[in-house]
Amino acid sequence: MEVDRISNLPGHIMDKILSQLSLRDAVRTSVLCSKWRYRWNTIPDLVFDNQSVLVSSQEQISIKTKIVNVVDQVLLLHAGPIHKFKLSHRDLQGVNDIDRWILYLSRGSLAELVLEIWKGHRYKLPSSVYSCGKLIHLELFNCLLKPPTTVYGFRSLKSLDLQHITMDQDVFEHLISRCPLLERLTLMNFDGFSVLDIYAPNLQFFDIGGVFDDVNFGNTFRLAIVSIGLYVNVGYDQSMTLGRTGNLIKFFTQLPSIQRLEIQSYFLKYLAVGKIPGKLPVPCMELNYLSIRINFNDLDESLAALCLLRSSPNLHELEILARPEEQTVVGRVANIWEEDYYNCPFNQLQFGVRCELDFINFLLANSPVLERMTVKPASNEIGWELLKELVRFRRASVRAEIIYLDPS
């Protein structure tokens, strides 16, 4: 007789197999044999998405009914602790049933909660979610946060991902400050608050993209990776900042451990508000990767970028993304890079990507250990002229290799 290997697998191997399957396929293993029949209902991670719950109907009522029934049955039959609960079905709108599911989960040992509401209005989180005291990771998409004033804050939370969310200014500030173990914070497309006061002593990763007026860091000395994008070109009145510390100095004062920085969209324009020093008071000694989206025709942005480059002596990799806009100071900005050729050596720089001619010339003349520079123009119209200019530029590094990429 043949040996029934499936029935005789060790328990931990069965659990490993189930963890690699969608919830739908995990439930279907119950037909294999008696040993597998109830094995699925102890898996700790429950994911309800389009792969786990197949919906053929186009009617919203039928879709809701099927998804709700599936989640109800799984929670009813589940016999072990639930560590992760993810609801991310693209056909499901926010429904009241989610409230009772979260209430049920809050009474257990839930460590990871992911709610992605792809359709309809913002789903208002129930107050029970703030009772999940063992939460380590919280991820919300298209949600409204209005917690009771006495309970919000997650003492064990280490990772927070908020996208397309709405909450008031005071709610945001209290939420961040009452997560003392927070290490990763992602904010994308938010409304209801416009000032980002980040007070998080254990924060190491910060990724933000949206519309805001100001950003302030406090007690963020461990923050190492930052990607920040301001999506709207907001006009700043420089006269209002006379005599005050500029945004550039204020931003980097609380980031002594910054290692990787991405300045996206119009955020460099924000950093250029106020006084722009020649160098930062304290250099970014640990910064090894820098990505900047810049309008080379904006004098203040170019000065801010130059200050950053002078203040980053250990930079290994640099990415410059040109953001062309109509300005009237092109000649003056070009002279900035020409005048500063020998005042800003990049002794550690090894890689660079996408920039305009004056800046390319500036980098080549100031990067003695440069190994590779990749240049990709925005259009074919300037490709040939760009190549002719590139071969003329002198290089401080004898090993520098220039790679030209055709526009995509």
mmCIF file of all heavy atoms in Angstrom, residues 252 261 279-280 283-288 290 305-316 344-349:
data_model
loop_
_atom_site.group_PDB
_atom_site.id
_atom_site.type_symbol
_atom_site.label_atom_id
_atom_site.label_comp_id
_atom_site.label_asym_id
_atom_site.label_seq_id
_atom_site.Cartn_x
_atom_site.Cartn_y
_atom_site.Cartn_z
ATOM 1 N N PHE A 252 16.275 70.025 9.487
ATOM 2 C CA PHE A 252 17.363 69.074 9.740
ATOM 3 C C PHE A 252 17.861 69.084 11.179
ATOM 4 O O PHE A 252 18.635 68.203 11.564
ATOM 5 C CB PHE A 252 18.535 69.360 8.787
ATOM 6 C CG PHE A 252 18.292 68.893 7.388
ATOM 7 C CD1 PHE A 252 17.799 69.765 6.433
ATOM 8 C CD2 PHE A 252 18.525 67.577 7.028
ATOM 9 C CE1 PHE A 252 17.560 69.345 5.136
ATOM 10 C CE2 PHE A 252 18.283 67.132 5.738
ATOM 11 C CZ PHE A 252 17.793 68.022 4.791
ATOM 12 N N LEU A 261 17.322 60.199 2.178
ATOM 13 C CA LEU A 261 16.348 61.278 2.095
ATOM 14 C C LEU A 261 15.872 61.442 0.658
ATOM 15 O O LEU A 261 16.678 61.553 -0.267
ATOM 16 C CB LEU A 261 16.968 62.593 2.584
ATOM 17 C CG LEU A 261 16.101 63.852 2.436
ATOM 18 C CD1 LEU A 261 14.823 63.732 3.261
ATOM 19 C CD2 LEU A 261 16.894 65.089 2.853
ATOM 20 N N LYS A 279 25.961 76.444 4.410
ATOM 21 C CA LYS A 279 25.987 75.071 4.901
ATOM 22 C C LYS A 279 25.084 74.977 6.114
ATOM 23 O O LYS A 279 24.833 75.975 6.793
ATOM 24 C CB LYS A 279 27.413 74.648 5.304
ATOM 25 C CG LYS A 279 28.361 74.382 4.170
ATOM 26 C CD LYS A 279 29.683 73.867 4.735
ATOM 27 C CE LYS A 279 30.682 73.559 3.629
ATOM 28 N NZ LYS A 279 31.967 73.028 4.179
ATOM 29 N N LEU A 280 24.622 73.771 6.404
ATOM 30 C CA LEU A 280 23.852 73.551 7.619
ATOM 31 C C LEU A 280 24.769 73.688 8.830
ATOM 32 O O LEU A 280 25.956 73.329 8.757
ATOM 33 C CB LEU A 280 23.220 72.160 7.611
ATOM 34 C CG LEU A 280 22.133 71.914 6.564
ATOM 35 C CD1 LEU A 280 21.711 70.439 6.575
ATOM 36 C CD2 LEU A 280 20.924 72.805 6.815
ATOM 37 N N PRO A 283 26.509 69.270 9.864
ATOM 38 C CA PRO A 283 26.432 68.504 8.616
ATOM 39 C C PRO A 283 25.721 67.173 8.799
ATOM 40 O O PRO A 283 25.687 66.610 9.893
ATOM 41 C CB PRO A 283 27.905 68.302 8.233
ATOM 42 C CG PRO A 283 28.653 68.425 9.525
ATOM 43 C CD PRO A 283 27.888 69.418 10.345
ATOM 44 N N CYS A 284 25.177 66.669 7.715
ATOM 45 C CA CYS A 284 24.496 65.361 7.718
ATOM 46 C C CYS A 284 25.542 64.280 7.483
ATOM 47 O O CYS A 284 25.727 63.791 6.356
ATOM 48 C CB CYS A 284 23.418 65.328 6.647
ATOM 49 S SG CYS A 284 22.169 66.620 6.800
ATOM 50 N N MET A 285 26.217 63.899 8.538
ATOM 51 C CA MET A 285 27.356 62.989 8.419
ATOM 52 C C MET A 285 26.960 61.587 7.988
ATOM 53 O O MET A 285 27.749 60.875 7.361
ATOM 54 C CB MET A 285 28.109 62.927 9.752
ATOM 55 C CG MET A 285 28.669 64.266 10.213
ATOM 56 S SD MET A 285 29.795 65.005 9.007
ATOM 57 C CE MET A 285 31.103 63.786 8.976
ATOM 58 N N GLU A 286 25.724 61.160 8.317
ATOM 59 C CA GLU A 286 25.313 59.795 7.994
ATOM 60 C C GLU A 286 24.516 59.697 6.695
ATOM 61 O O GLU A 286 24.172 58.603 6.261
ATOM 62 C CB GLU A 286 24.492 59.217 9.147
ATOM 63 C CG GLU A 286 25.276 59.106 10.453
ATOM 64 C CD GLU A 286 24.487 58.390 11.527
ATOM 65 O OE1 GLU A 286 23.741 57.445 11.199
ATOM 66 O OE2 GLU A 286 24.605 58.785 12.708
ATOM 67 N N LEU A 287 24.224 60.825 6.079
ATOM 68 C CA LEU A 287 23.427 60.814 4.845
ATOM 69 C C LEU A 287 24.252 60.234 3.698
ATOM 70 O O LEU A 287 25.280 60.789 3.311
ATOM 71 C CB LEU A 287 22.975 62.232 4.497
ATOM 72 C CG LEU A 287 22.007 62.356 3.319
ATOM 73 C CD1 LEU A 287 20.686 61.667 3.629
ATOM 74 C CD2 LEU A 287 21.755 63.827 2.969
ATOM 75 N N ASN A 288 23.781 59.095 3.154
ATOM 76 C CA ASN A 288 24.508 58.462 2.043
ATOM 77 C C ASN A 288 23.688 58.388 0.759
ATOM 78 O O ASN A 288 24.240 58.116 -0.306
ATOM 79 C CB ASN A 288 24.989 57.062 2.440
ATOM 80 C CG ASN A 288 23.858 56.163 2.887
ATOM 81 O OD1 ASN A 288 22.983 55.802 2.110
ATOM 82 N ND2 ASN A 288 23.858 55.797 4.170
ATOM 83 N N LEU A 290 20.618 60.623 -1.429
ATOM 84 C CA LEU A 290 19.813 61.837 -1.512
ATOM 85 C C LEU A 290 19.149 61.910 -2.877
ATOM 86 O O LEU A 290 19.803 61.779 -3.912
ATOM 87 C CB LEU A 290 20.688 63.076 -1.300
ATOM 88 C CG LEU A 290 20.004 64.445 -1.446
ATOM 89 C CD1 LEU A 290 18.907 64.610 -0.401
ATOM 90 C CD2 LEU A 290 21.032 65.570 -1.334
ATOM 91 N N ALA A 305 19.366 73.365 -2.565
ATOM 92 C CA ALA A 305 20.010 72.123 -2.994
ATOM 93 C C ALA A 305 21.517 72.203 -2.805
ATOM 94 O O ALA A 305 22.156 71.243 -2.351
ATOM 95 C CB ALA A 305 19.670 71.839 -4.459
ATOM 96 N N LEU A 306 22.102 73.348 -3.126
ATOM 97 C CA LEU A 306 23.535 73.525 -2.957
ATOM 98 C C LEU A 306 23.940 73.427 -1.495
ATOM 99 O O LEU A 306 24.967 72.827 -1.151
ATOM 100 C CB LEU A 306 23.948 74.882 -3.533
ATOM 101 C CG LEU A 306 25.451 75.185 -3.566
ATOM 102 C CD1 LEU A 306 26.207 74.124 -4.338
ATOM 103 C CD2 LEU A 306 25.689 76.566 -4.152
ATOM 104 N N CYS A 307 23.124 74.004 -0.607
ATOM 105 C CA CYS A 307 23.385 73.903 0.826
ATOM 106 C C CYS A 307 23.383 72.446 1.277
ATOM 107 O O CYS A 307 24.261 72.017 2.040
ATOM 108 C CB CYS A 307 22.331 74.702 1.593
ATOM 109 S SG CYS A 307 22.410 74.509 3.392
ATOM 110 N N LEU A 308 22.415 71.676 0.802
ATOM 111 C CA LEU A 308 22.348 70.261 1.163
ATOM 112 C C LEU A 308 23.574 69.503 0.677
ATOM 113 O O LEU A 308 24.125 68.658 1.391
ATOM 114 C CB LEU A 308 21.084 69.635 0.571
ATOM 115 C CG LEU A 308 19.787 69.823 1.351
ATOM 116 C CD1 LEU A 308 18.633 69.161 0.620
ATOM 117 C CD2 LEU A 308 19.919 69.256 2.749
ATOM 118 N N LEU A 309 24.006 69.785 -0.536
ATOM 119 C CA LEU A 309 25.160 69.086 -1.088
ATOM 120 C C LEU A 309 26.434 69.438 -0.319
ATOM 121 O O LEU A 309 27.266 68.569 -0.053
ATOM 122 C CB LEU A 309 25.317 69.428 -2.566
ATOM 123 C CG LEU A 309 24.179 68.945 -3.465
ATOM 124 C CD1 LEU A 309 24.378 69.406 -4.899
ATOM 125 C CD2 LEU A 309 24.041 67.440 -3.412
ATOM 126 N N ARG A 310 26.581 70.702 0.041
ATOM 127 C CA ARG A 310 27.750 71.097 0.842
ATOM 128 C C ARG A 310 27.733 70.451 2.228
ATOM 129 O O ARG A 310 28.781 70.253 2.838
ATOM 130 C CB ARG A 310 27.758 72.620 1.027
ATOM 131 C CG ARG A 310 28.095 73.433 -0.213
ATOM 132 C CD ARG A 310 28.485 74.834 0.225
ATOM 133 N NE ARG A 310 28.573 75.763 -0.889
ATOM 134 C CZ ARG A 310 27.697 76.735 -1.112
ATOM 135 N NH1 ARG A 310 26.646 76.878 -0.307
ATOM 136 N NH2 ARG A 310 27.849 77.570 -2.121
ATOM 137 N N SER A 311 26.541 70.138 2.727
ATOM 138 C CA SER A 311 26.393 69.629 4.097
ATOM 139 C C SER A 311 26.330 68.109 4.163
ATOM 140 O O SER A 311 25.997 67.554 5.208
ATOM 141 C CB SER A 311 25.119 70.224 4.728
ATOM 142 O OG SER A 311 25.110 71.627 4.646
ATOM 143 N N SER A 312 26.611 67.440 3.048
ATOM 144 C CA SER A 312 26.521 65.966 2.997
ATOM 145 C C SER A 312 27.852 65.384 2.534
ATOM 146 O O SER A 312 27.995 64.923 1.394
ATOM 147 C CB SER A 312 25.388 65.539 2.052
ATOM 148 O OG SER A 312 24.179 66.174 2.397
ATOM 149 N N PRO A 313 28.878 65.388 3.397
ATOM 150 C CA PRO A 313 30.220 64.977 2.979
ATOM 151 C C PRO A 313 30.368 63.499 2.678
ATOM 152 O O PRO A 313 31.321 63.107 2.006
ATOM 153 C CB PRO A 313 31.090 65.384 4.177
ATOM 154 C CG PRO A 313 30.152 65.346 5.352
ATOM 155 C CD PRO A 313 28.833 65.810 4.808
ATOM 156 N N ASN A 314 29.448 62.660 3.167
ATOM 157 C CA ASN A 314 29.578 61.214 2.962
ATOM 158 C C ASN A 314 28.530 60.660 2.005
ATOM 159 O O ASN A 314 28.205 59.473 2.041
ATOM 160 C CB ASN A 314 29.481 60.498 4.310
ATOM 161 C CG ASN A 314 30.629 60.864 5.233
ATOM 162 O OD1 ASN A 314 31.781 60.881 4.819
ATOM 163 N ND2 ASN A 314 30.326 61.193 6.477
ATOM 164 N N LEU A 315 28.022 61.515 1.136
ATOM 165 C CA LEU A 315 27.009 61.107 0.174
ATOM 166 C C LEU A 315 27.593 60.108 -0.817
ATOM 167 O O LEU A 315 28.633 60.350 -1.430
ATOM 168 C CB LEU A 315 26.486 62.343 -0.561
ATOM 169 C CG LEU A 315 25.151 62.220 -1.285
ATOM 170 C CD1 LEU A 315 24.034 61.910 -0.306
ATOM 171 C CD2 LEU A 315 24.842 63.511 -2.043
ATOM 172 N N HIS A 316 26.919 58.960 -0.981
ATOM 173 C CA HIS A 316 27.351 57.932 -1.925
ATOM 174 C C HIS A 316 26.518 57.927 -3.194
ATOM 175 O O HIS A 316 27.013 57.612 -4.265
ATOM 176 C CB HIS A 316 27.262 56.550 -1.273
ATOM 177 C CG HIS A 316 28.346 56.285 -0.287
ATOM 178 N ND1 HIS A 316 28.485 55.077 0.359
ATOM 179 C CD2 HIS A 316 29.357 57.076 0.183
ATOM 180 C CE1 HIS A 316 29.530 55.123 1.174
ATOM 181 N NE2 HIS A 316 30.060 56.333 1.093
ATOM 182 N N CYS A 344 32.749 72.774 -3.252
ATOM 183 C CA CYS A 344 31.800 71.739 -2.823
ATOM 184 C C CYS A 344 32.235 70.368 -3.317
ATOM 185 O O CYS A 344 31.587 69.771 -4.164
ATOM 186 C CB CYS A 344 30.409 72.084 -3.343
ATOM 187 S SG CYS A 344 29.117 70.988 -2.761
ATOM 188 N N PRO A 345 33.386 69.856 -2.848
ATOM 189 C CA PRO A 345 33.832 68.540 -3.325
ATOM 190 C C PRO A 345 33.015 67.408 -2.709
ATOM 191 O O PRO A 345 32.740 67.417 -1.517
ATOM 192 C CB PRO A 345 35.292 68.473 -2.841
ATOM 193 C CG PRO A 345 35.309 69.342 -1.629
ATOM 194 C CD PRO A 345 34.306 70.445 -1.875
ATOM 195 N N PHE A 346 32.628 66.442 -3.539
ATOM 196 C CA PHE A 346 31.917 65.254 -3.051
ATOM 197 C C PHE A 346 32.897 64.086 -3.067
ATOM 198 O O PHE A 346 33.020 63.375 -4.052
ATOM 199 C CB PHE A 346 30.707 64.949 -3.946
ATOM 200 C CG PHE A 346 29.748 66.097 -4.056
ATOM 201 C CD1 PHE A 346 29.589 66.771 -5.255
ATOM 202 C CD2 PHE A 346 29.029 66.510 -2.965
ATOM 203 C CE1 PHE A 346 28.715 67.833 -5.347
ATOM 204 C CE2 PHE A 346 28.150 67.573 -3.051
ATOM 205 C CZ PHE A 346 27.994 68.232 -4.249
ATOM 206 N N ASN A 347 33.599 63.906 -1.955
ATOM 207 C CA ASN A 347 34.662 62.908 -1.937
ATOM 208 C C ASN A 347 34.146 61.476 -1.899
ATOM 209 O O ASN A 347 34.893 60.540 -2.138
ATOM 210 C CB ASN A 347 35.564 63.159 -0.730
ATOM 211 C CG ASN A 347 36.304 64.481 -0.856
ATOM 212 O OD1 ASN A 347 36.762 64.826 -1.943
ATOM 213 N ND2 ASN A 347 36.399 65.220 0.244
ATOM 214 N N GLN A 348 32.861 61.290 -1.558
ATOM 215 C CA GLN A 348 32.323 59.935 -1.452
ATOM 216 C C GLN A 348 31.334 59.592 -2.564
ATOM 217 O O GLN A 348 30.918 58.450 -2.685
ATOM 218 C CB GLN A 348 31.610 59.764 -0.100
ATOM 219 C CG GLN A 348 32.490 60.064 1.101
ATOM 220 C CD GLN A 348 33.664 59.140 1.203
ATOM 221 O OE1 GLN A 348 33.562 57.961 0.873
ATOM 222 N NE2 GLN A 348 34.804 59.659 1.625
ATOM 223 N N LEU A 349 30.928 60.590 -3.372
ATOM 224 C CA LEU A 349 29.862 60.377 -4.341
ATOM 225 C C LEU A 349 30.253 59.351 -5.392
ATOM 226 O O LEU A 349 31.308 59.449 -6.020
ATOM 227 C CB LEU A 349 29.489 61.694 -5.020
ATOM 228 C CG LEU A 349 28.240 61.680 -5.895
ATOM 229 C CD1 LEU A 349 27.026 61.305 -5.056
ATOM 230 C CD2 LEU A 349 28.033 63.017 -6.565
#
